[in-house]
Amino acid sequence: MLTSVVSTTSAVSSATASAMSMTSGIGLPEYGVLAVIGLISLLAAKEILSASKYWNKNINLSLNMGILPLMVSFCAIVTFKVLEII
C-alpha cells in the first residue's frame, strides 16, 4: 500500500514538473529591462567620470567589468527580440 502511494505521488510530481516545463516560456527573463537600465547607468557614469579629474585606469577597469557582461546581455536580448519577430 505504501509503495503504491509513493509511486502515485512521484507520478503526480513528475506530471506536474513536465506540465510546468511545457508552460514556462523559453528565452530571456522578463527582467531584461533592468539589465538595460544598468547598462545605460554604467555607460553614463563612465562618460561623466572620464571628463572629471577623478578618472584613472582603475575606475575604467572597474566600470568595464560591469559594462561588458551587461553588453553581452543586451546583445542577447536584442537578438532574441528580433528572432521573435521573424
Side-chain angles (χ1 to χ4, degrees), residues 44-86:
K46 185 174 180 176
E47 189 67 28
I48 292 169
L49 286 173
S50 67
S52 74
K53 65 180 181 179
Y54 300 110
W55 184 253
N56 60 30
K57 183 179 176 182
N58 292 333
I59 292 174
N60 185 30
L61 292 174
S62 297
L63 288 173
N64 283 341
M65 284 188 342
I67 289 172
L68 290 177
L70 289 174
M71 188 68 75
V72 171
S73 298
F74 177 75
C75 291
I77 290 168
V78 169
T79 303
F80 180 73
K81 293 294 183 181
V82 168
L83 291 176
E84 189 176 73
I85 292 172
I86 295 175

Side-chain angles (χ1 to χ4, degrees), residues 6-65:
V6 170
S7 64
T8 305
T9 305
S10 64
V12 169
S13 65
S14 65
T16 305
S18 65
M20 289 179 69
S21 65
M22 290 189 313
T23 58
S24 63
I26 58 171
L28 301 172
E30 301 87 28
Y31 302 109
V33 71
L34 294 177
V36 174
I37 290 171
L39 177 63
I40 292 169
S41 300
L42 286 175
L43 287 172
K46 185 174 180 176
E47 189 67 28
I48 292 169
L49 286 173
S50 67
S52 74
K53 65 180 181 179
Y54 300 110
W55 184 253
N56 60 30
K57 183 179 176 182
N58 292 333
I59 292 174
N60 185 30
L61 292 174
S62 297
L63 288 173
N64 283 341
M65 284 188 342

